[in-house]
Amino acid sequence: MGFWPVLKKNFRIMFNSKLSILILIFGPLFLMGIMGAALQNNELRDIQASVFSHEESIDYLLENDWYVDSYLDQLRQNSFIVRQVNSINECKDDVLNSRAHVCIEVVKKPPIKLPNTKFSQDINYETQAYVDFSKSRIVWGVIAKTQAVSESHSKVLVQNVLVQYKEKLEQPMNDLRGAYAELDNALVLLDNIDSNLNSAKEKQDQLNADSKSLNIAFGNLKSKVQTTVSTVNKIAGLDSSIYNSVNELNTAFQETDAKYQTLYSKLNMGDVLSSINNAQSFVSQVDGNLRTVKNKIDNVLEVWNGISQMNYADLAPLSFSYQSVTEDSQIKGTVSRPRLEFLDYLFPSFLMFFIIFVSLVFATVTTFKERSSKAHIRNVTSRTSAVSFILGNFISIFFILALQIAVILGVSVFFLRASILANSFPLVAYSFIGIVLFALLGIALGYIFNSQDGAVIASVSLSLLFLIFLPVITAPETLPLGFSKIVNVMPFVILESKLRLASIFNIFSVPSALEFLSLACSFLVSVILIFYFYYRRRRLEI
Amino acid sequence: MDGVTKSFGRKKILDNVSFSVSPGEVVGFVGRSGAGKSVLIKILIGFYKPDKGYVLISSNSKDPIGYSMQDNALYDQLTIRQNLHYFSEIHKISRRIKKERVELLINRLNLKEYENVLLKNLSGGTKKRVDVACALLTDPEIVIFDEPFLGLDPMLTDALADFIIALGKSGKAVFVSSHQTDVLNKISTRVVMLKGGKLYAIQKSQMREVY
């Protein structure tokens, strides 16, 4: 940990200067602010677009040609000068021969099953943009604008489809809601009937009891009457008027008894009870069935509710992707995120340029200032090793630059549409690799040159050279083949492309063996240069 | 130092220079500008290597030499205390000793008042005292001063001269390079002069004449 005092000293020096802190934090903010303000409203106009549309499968005939027509209208409304062509080759040729900035291929695809829903989406198109990366100054703008039109059109169309779905389903759903109310009413009435039937059963039981009591009372009455008649008839010598009146009573009672027997048979209502029980059973069954129907209606209404709450986010956007018009190029990508602006496409290059420029210049100046400081003699003659000093200075430079990159990435969250935070790991990882490589190179420059002016000019020139070969300025396709192969494996190009893949396309691309070798070699060369020139300079000093 | 020769390009700065300093001695070192005094001092502190000859130091300490340079080898953007702490740490002085020694030197050189002030905001005299404090951080047996009185007012010059005398009396071997012959006359026990790459022992009274 011999580097620890050096690290502490460097940070103390920095924190003792308010200006350094201000530059450290507000420098990147200032740069981002200027860049954001300058580029956020960057609009390309009069983009020449050749459009070729076709069906991917013969099962899907040209019934949806209106989509292509409305898409072309949309393009025209957004400053595109549109030319429809008959083949993809003609379309690509237009780009290759500079007759068009972009060739747009529209392919109709089969319906797509919507995730998290029970529906499939009929309208499913894929839009592929072919661009010429040699026109690198505008190519990202063209891609951004084409993507913007495609996605806004996709949004409008898909939303229309959704509205139509909803409108078509509205009437039957209203009818169903009416049926639901009737069904509730029927269930209430069934409940009443069931309760009435229960009441009838209770009355029937009471009737049976009363009938039995009546029968007993009537039997007693009959017995008394018959005993009286029989007794009176056996008594001789009585006045005939008694016989007559008893016989009249007996006759009247016999008639009453006959009527009573009929009544008694009528009061025996076993059939009525069976009917009531039977009816109750049916009432219960109908109630059960109605409740099943009610559940089914509930299900239908729930599904409908799901449909009515669906929004654009639930629908599958019509996909947009782009690729180079030259077949040998490996530049291609898909964009399935919110519409990106020109600034989003430029951001990885800006970030890489910032890393190159600031790392190189800052490391060079810091190293030169350290080695030419008055305290250098004490450092050299102290018991701390040269490695510790170099490491301490490198770590200080790394932390300061990392802080600046963190500020830029933090601010970018507000400036960019691309979600930096969603894919922060590769962005941070490749930014840090860039800082390490270019800070080491800067430190080497700080030791190589004899004067501070020479060192600064060298670091600025080198960063400008790297800037010129960044793909955003000079597309590799435009360079002679051998040269472009070399440029493609230069660390700044590798890192810039990795940053682009991470920030725009959410791809964490691991370096290939060749790329890894290039990064490792750059690291080693810088370290060797640092130690070689450090000790060479010490030898010259002594 | 025995038979030390040092050249830069074709120009021979030191030619077979030999001398010795004993504990308790304060050796004055004079010579005209460009004579090679600073080169000799840088060879003594180990910054330059001699082309020939050697410097032999009889000491058990790992850091036997402390030095104060003409233009104060300090960080202007650090405070006095931060400078002293940093130079203690790169000399690998233990935390406890560092704390004691920094405190002692701050008090002894009357720096307490400014200890938390950035060096760039201090006067030349105060900076010189901080540089002297740095020279003594490792409690060295040999202390070398290169033009310590340059730019100091008479009061500060006297105070520093007294301090150097006290260092000598405490048993340290002190080597002082200066153009101020009257101060050297006051503080040194003997004087050597560098002329034409050779080192000569001279009488203190001869100092003005050799210029």
Side-chain angles (χ1 to χ4, degrees):
Chain A
M1 293 289 279
F3 66 85
W4 184 241
V6 184
L7 193 64
K8 266 199 309 186
K9 178 262 296 177
N10 287 342
F11 275 97
R12 277 178 176 155
I13 287 176
M14 197 182 70
F15 286 117
N16 284 341
S17 165
K18 290 184 180 67
L19 186 65
S20 299
I21 298 286
L22 284 177
I23 290 173
L24 177 69
I25 295 170
F26 289 101
L29 283 178
F30 181 67
L31 277 174
M32 276 305 290
I34 289 178
M35 195 171 162
L39 299 176
Q40 207 159 38
N41 293 319
N42 193 299
E43 279 279 324
L44 288 171
R45 291 169 195 84
D46 297 338
I47 300 169
Q48 307 270 356
S50 290
V51 181
F52 171 64
S53 66
H54 65 100
E55 310 294 319
E56 190 177 64
S57 157
I58 54 166
D59 296 338
Y60 295 91
L61 299 175
L62 292 172
E63 62 189 25
N64 279 323
D65 238 356
W66 58 271
Y67 170 83
V68 177
D69 289 343
S70 64
Y71 180 63
L72 296 182
D73 286 344
Q74 193 82 15
L75 284 172
R76 288 189 187 99
Q77 284 165 22
N78 282 278
S79 296
F80 279 80
I81 298 168
V82 179
R83 188 175 94 91
Q84 250 187 304
V85 294
N86 296 320
S87 74
I88 187 64
N89 288 337
E90 189 183 348
C91 189
K92 286 181 180 177
D93 278 350
D94 280 356
V95 177
L96 282 171
N97 296 317
S98 295
R99 285 193 294 270
H101 293 111
V102 57
C103 158
I104 303 171
E105 183 186 17
V106 183
V107 187
K108 178 158 175 55
K109 311 282 279 185
I112 182 170
K113 172 86 175 70
L114 290 176
N116 308 320
T117 71
K118 295 165 183 171
F119 309 105
S120 67
Q121 183 178 307
D122 290 338
I123 293 185
N124 184 23
Y125 283 84
E126 185 180 276
T127 311
Q128 172 88 41
Y130 295 91
V131 285
D132 183 355
F133 278 87
S134 64
K135 296 181 179 60
S136 53
R137 281 194 302 118
I138 59 160
V139 75
W140 294 109
V142 171
I143 291 173
K145 187 118 186 174
T146 312
Q147 183 203 355
V149 173
S150 301
E151 288 193 356
S152 94
H153 189 233
S154 147
K155 188 174 182 176
V156 169
L157 284 179
V158 175
Q159 273 179 336
N160 280 345
V161 169
L162 196 59
V163 168
Q164 281 172 17
Y165 264 141
K166 287 179 183 177
E167 282 173 0
K168 281 179 186 168
L169 280 171
E170 196 60 48
Q171 185 53 45
M173 286 304 117
N174 282 339
D175 292 344
L176 201 59
R177 284 195 194 98
Y180 194 89
E182 292 296 339
L183 194 143
D184 272 344
N185 190 30
L187 282 172
V188 171
L189 289 173
L190 269 178
D191 269 354
N192 286 345
I193 287 170
D194 191 48
S195 135
N196 286 337
L197 285 171
N198 279 332
S199 171
K201 274 169 75 180
E202 281 171 14
K203 295 284 182 195
Q204 173 68 22
D205 288 343
Q206 186 61 44
L207 185 66
N208 279 343
D210 288 350
S211 169
K212 280 176 185 165
S213 301
L214 177 64
N215 199 34
I216 291 166
F218 201 86
N220 291 339
L221 174 66
K222 188 176 177 180
S223 164
K224 299 282 184 202
V225 169
Q226 281 175 346
T227 306
T228 304
V229 170
S230 166
T231 307
V232 169
N233 281 339
K234 283 177 184 171
I235 300 169
L238 289 176
D239 188 70
S240 63
S241 60
I242 293 173
Y243 288 111
N244 289 339
S245 41
V246 167
N247 283 329
E248 280 172 12
L249 166 67
N250 193 33
T251 305
F253 186 79
Q254 290 303 325
E255 282 174 9
T256 306
D257 185 41
K259 291 287 181 191
Y260 171 74
Q261 289 309 324
T262 307
L263 168 66
Y264 187 71
S265 72
K266 294 291 179 190
L267 283 174
N268 184 13
M269 288 189 282
D271 288 347
V272 172
L273 195 60
S274 162
S275 293
I276 290 174
N277 283 335
N278 209 11
Q280 267 195 315
S281 157
F282 275 106
V283 165
S284 169
Q285 284 176 30
V286 170
D287 185 78
N289 288 346
L290 278 179
R291 287 185 195 282
T292 307
V293 171
K294 191 180 173 183
N295 283 340
K296 300 292 178 195
I297 293 178
D298 275 340
N299 284 345
V300 173
L301 289 175
E302 192 184 333
V303 172
W304 162 238
N305 206 28
I307 295 174
S308 62
Q309 284 177 0
M310 265 174 76
N311 57 35
Y312 178 69
D314 298 319
L315 300 167
L318 308 186
S319 84
F320 174 84
S321 58
Y322 71 88
Q323 76 178 69
S324 172
V325 73
T326 50
E327 286 175 4
D328 60 335
S329 171
Q330 295 184 348
I331 300 174
K332 60 181 173 184
T334 57
V335 186
S336 56
R337 298 207 284 162
R339 186 163 74 86
L340 302 180
E341 296 284 355
F342 190 44
L343 186 60
D344 294 281
Y345 291 104
L346 214 56
F347 177 73
S349 304
F350 166 74
L351 188 62
M352 198 61 234
F353 173 64
F354 185 87
I355 290 170
I356 292 173
F357 193 82
V358 178
S359 301
L360 266 175
V361 176
F362 182 65
T364 304
V365 172
T366 306
T367 306
F368 198 93
K369 275 177 72 179
E370 184 62 39
R371 75 164 233 239
S372 60
S373 83
K374 290 185 288 181
H376 175 61
I377 192 167
R378 281 201 196 283
N379 291 335
V380 171
T381 56
S382 73
R383 289 177 56 209
T384 298
S385 68
V387 174
S388 296
F389 277 107
I390 291 170
L391 193 60
N393 287 329
F394 166 72
I395 294 172
S396 323
I397 291 165
F398 176 83
F399 270 115
I400 291 165
L401 292 169
L403 183 65
Q404 292 205 304
I405 296 301
V407 170
I408 287 186
L409 290 177
V411 174
S412 307
V413 171
F414 301 102
F415 268 101
L416 303 179
R417 283 171 183 261
S419 176
I420 299 292
L421 293 177
N423 213 18
S424 53
F425 175 70
L427 267 181
V428 170
Y430 284 118
S431 298
F432 281 6
I433 292 172
I435 294 172
V436 169
L437 290 182
F438 293 105
L440 284 173
L441 188 57
I443 292 173
L445 290 177
Y447 284 119
I448 290 171
F449 287 86
N450 287 326
S451 73
Q452 186 167 357
D453 293 345
V456 170
I457 288 170
S459 62
V460 171
S461 306
L462 205 56
S463 24
L464 288 177
L465 186 72
F466 292 160
L467 173 70
I468 288 166
F469 284 110
L470 276 183
V472 76
I473 304 287
T474 310
E477 293 103 320
T478 60
L479 297 170
L481 191 59
F483 207 67
S484 79
K485 279 184 179 170
I486 295 169
V487 168
N488 272 328
V489 291
M490 296 305 279
F492 53 94
V493 176
I494 295 170
L495 293 172
E496 196 249 15
S497 65
K498 302 292 177 199
L499 286 176
R500 169 169 291 119
L501 287 172
S503 77
I504 301 177
F505 306 110
N506 267 344
I507 297 168
F508 181 21
S509 162
V510 179
S512 66
L514 188 63
E515 289 172 337
F516 183 79
L517 190 69
S518 163
L519 295 174
C521 283
S522 307
F523 177 83
L524 281 177
V525 166
S526 295
V527 170
I528 290 167
L529 282 176
I530 288 170
F531 283 98
Y532 174 75
F533 279 98
Y534 177 85
Y535 286 110
R536 185 166 183 264
R537 194 152 290 287
R538 274 299 293 142
R539 274 203 307 279
L540 288 174
E541 278 175 349
I542 61 179
Chain B
M1 181 177 273
D2 192 14
V4 168
T5 300
K6 179 75 179 174
S7 303
F8 286 105
R10 288 184 178 179
K11 191 177 180 186
K12 194 174 269 187
I13 307 295
L14 301 176
D15 183 12
N16 197 24
V17 172
S18 302
F19 79 99
S20 64
V21 185
S22 307
E25 258 194 320
V26 178
V27 177
F29 181 39
V30 294
R32 300 189 71 170
S33 296
K37 296 193 298 296
S38 292
V39 173
L40 187 141
I41 286 172
K42 284 179 178 172
I43 287 175
L44 280 177
I45 66 174
F47 188 72
Y48 288 161
K49 272 188 182 169
D51 299 335
K52 274 189 201 168
Y54 56 88
V55 176
L56 185 67
I57 297 162
S58 170
S59 170
N60 292 324
S61 167
K62 287 178 180 172
D63 265 318
I65 296 181
Y67 55 88
S68 165
M69 302 307 287
Q70 185 175 332
D71 49 0
N72 304 326
L74 302 165
Y75 286 102
D76 278 348
Q77 304 90 336
L78 293 178
T79 65
I80 291 176
R81 186 170 279 280
Q82 286 170 344
N83 263 295
L84 294 175
H85 274 272
Y86 169 65
F87 289 116
S88 304
E89 285 165 6
I90 63 169
H91 279 283
K92 301 190 187 298
I93 297 170
S94 74
R95 186 183 287 246
R96 186 180 60 80
I97 296 174
K98 174 184 81 176
K99 199 177 170 189
E100 286 173 6
R101 211 167 278 168
V102 167
E103 214 55 52
L104 180 78
L105 288 167
I106 282 177
N107 289 325
R108 203 168 157 199
L109 287 152
N110 296 322
L111 294 167
K112 192 78 185 167
E113 192 182 342
Y114 316 106
E115 63 176 344
N116 293 319
V117 179
L118 292 182
L119 229 63
K120 65 180 179 183
N121 298 328
L122 294 173
S123 67
T126 314
K127 282 184 191 174
K128 179 53 71 183
R129 276 185 281 159
V130 179
D131 202 45
V132 171
C134 282
L136 300 171
L137 274 172
T138 56
D139 193 21
E141 291 161 23
I142 303 160
V143 188
I144 296 166
F145 294 94
D146 189 6
E147 297 293 351
F149 311 110
L150 199 70
L152 299 189
D153 63 34
M155 274 184 68
L156 282 173
T157 302
D158 284 347
L160 185 56
D162 292 342
F163 185 79
I164 291 171
I165 292 168
L167 281 177
K169 285 183 177 167
S170 69
K172 295 189 188 302
V174 185
F175 192 74
V176 186
S177 160
S178 177
H179 290 296
Q180 287 171 277
T181 52
D182 49 340
V183 187
L184 275 188
N185 199 19
K186 176 186 165 187
I187 63 172
S188 53
T189 51
R190 64 187 172 95
V191 178
V192 291
M193 182 191 69
L194 188 65
K195 191 174 184 181
K198 302 271 188 192
L199 196 69
Y200 303 95
I202 56 168
Q203 294 296 316
K204 287 207 279 182
S205 56
Q206 288 180 304
M207 272 194 289
R208 278 206 172 275
E209 293 158 29
V210 299
Y211 272 101

